[in-house]
């Protein structure tokens, strides 16, 4: 048990409160010990963002936690994981470290080596392949304000469930989220469950149920030569 603690990655899992489709999940396995009174479990697997039906199954099972992306490890364990599972990334990090030791500044070293590192999350590169992963259910309040519907949970809703920040008016509509920069009024009439965001640079209008797809919209904008100067 002690050796397993020393050689493990540890992650915090958030006990789910609803069948969220915007988060990854961690399936817990057998309890191995307690730390500060909290149970520590072996991790059975990481799963990607599920559909609503699958998220409901995860919630009902009681075995799944939201993946908050909060990880803890010994530096020596992390180094060994990189060497074994992502040697190309480790080689770039080592090269940057040598540049730093030689007197090159941090920004210059990163400019030189960081663009060469492949784009991959720590989950995919290391955690989903690492043999010793432990998960601790978090005992604190948590919210991943990573999309516009999440922001609505931190705003006051009107009687129809509309939330807003900045000047706005919603008439004969429900469940809308309106955010603007305060330069003018945003007015909605007869629409439901929309996200409307106004900034000095852009305006976004998207059904709330599809807010997770904004990344694909950004990619399309980046690919449009007529918009590049605005991004």
């Amino acid at each position: 048990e002690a050796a397993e603690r020393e050689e493990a990655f540890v992650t915090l899992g958030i006990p789910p409160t609803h069948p969220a489709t915007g988060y990854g999940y961690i399936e817990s396995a057998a309890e191995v010990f307690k730390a500060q009174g909290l149970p520590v479990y072996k991790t059975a697997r990481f799963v990607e963002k599920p559909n609503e039906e699958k998220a409901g199954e995860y919630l009902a099972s009681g075995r799944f936690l939201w993946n908050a992306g909060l990880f803890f490890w010994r530096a020596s364990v992390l180094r060994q994981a990189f060497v074994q599972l992502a040697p190309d990334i480790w080689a770039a990090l080592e090269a940057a470290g040598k540049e730093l030791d030689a007197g090159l500044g941090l920004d210059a070293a990163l400019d030189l080596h960081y663009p060469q590192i492949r784009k991959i999350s720590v989950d995919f590169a290391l955690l989903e392949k690492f043999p010793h992963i432990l998960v601790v259910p978090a005992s604190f309040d948590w919210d991943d304000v990573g999309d516009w519907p999440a922001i609505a949970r931190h705003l006051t809703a009107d009687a129809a469930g509309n939330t807003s920040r900045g000047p706005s008016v919603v008439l004969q509509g429900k469940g809308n989220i309106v955010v603007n920069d305060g330069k003018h009024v945003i007015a909605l009439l007869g629409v439901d469950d929309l996200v409307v965001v106004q900034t000095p640079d852009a305006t976004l209008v998207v059904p709330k149920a599809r807010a997770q797809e904004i990344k694909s919209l950004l990619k399309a904008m980046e690919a449009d030569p007529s918009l590049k100067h605005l991004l």
Side-chain angles (χ1 to χ4, degrees):
E1 178 183 303
E4 187 171 24
R5 296 190 203 190
E6 296 289 331
E7 298 174 0
F9 284 175
V10 180
T11 181
L12 294 183
I14 308 300
T17 58
H18 60 281
T21 59
Y23 304 146
Y25 286 72
I26 304 167
E27 184 178 11
S28 59
E31 181 179 333
V32 287
F33 56 89
K34 280 186 166 59
Q36 301 297 318
L38 294 174
V40 179
Y41 299 94
K42 288 186 177 180
T43 296
R45 60 177 173 140
F46 289 81
V47 293
E48 289 305 300
K49 299 174 182 178
N51 58 33
E52 189 168 356
E53 180 182 0
K54 186 63 69 174
E57 293 176 7
Y58 292 166
L59 180 65
S61 75
R63 299 192 312 274
F64 287 82
L65 302 161
W66 288 335
N67 182 1
L70 301 173
F71 310 117
F72 306 86
W73 41 57
R74 288 180 176 272
S76 58
V77 176
L78 180 62
R79 178 189 183 281
Q80 190 60 32
F82 268 117
V83 170
Q84 292 179 350
L85 303 174
D88 58 317
I89 297 177
W90 182 249
L93 295 175
E94 275 198 315
K98 290 177 181 178
E99 299 283 5
L100 289 172
D101 292 340
L104 190 65
L106 176 61
D107 289 343
L110 290 177
D111 288 343
L112 184 63
H113 294 284
Y114 188 77
Q116 312 307 319
I117 298 176
R118 58 190 166 103
K119 295 180 180 179
I120 188 170
S121 70
V122 68
D123 301 65
F124 289 145
L126 301 181
L127 273 86
E128 295 189 4
K129 304 172 185 176
F130 197 73
H132 304 299
I133 307 286
L134 302 177
V135 59
V136 182
S139 59
F140 51 81
D141 292 335
W142 176 89
D143 195 353
D144 177 20
V145 188
D147 59 18
W148 292 109
I151 287 178
R153 295 195 288 270
H154 300 271
L155 300 173
T156 301
D158 65 16
N162 300 298
T163 55
S164 64
R165 187 173 68 192
S168 67
V169 58
V170 180
L171 186 63
Q172 298 175 10
K174 62 181 185 296
N176 296 288
I177 301 168
V178 183
V179 179
N180 68 25
D181 60 1
K183 301 297 184 182
H184 62 276
V185 176
I186 295 179
L188 304 184
L189 173 63
V191 294
D192 301 330
D193 298 318
L194 289 182
V195 177
V196 181
V197 181
Q198 171 67 35
T199 73
D201 301 312
T203 301
L204 170 71
V205 181
V206 62
K208 193 161 57 175
R210 301 187 65 180
Q212 287 285 331
E213 301 176 38
I214 290 177
K215 286 184 179 179
S216 61
L217 181 61
L218 291 174
K219 288 182 180 179
M221 294 168 64
E222 290 170 353
D224 187 336
S226 68
L227 298 177
K228 281 189 175 181
H229 69 287
L230 299 173
L231 299 174

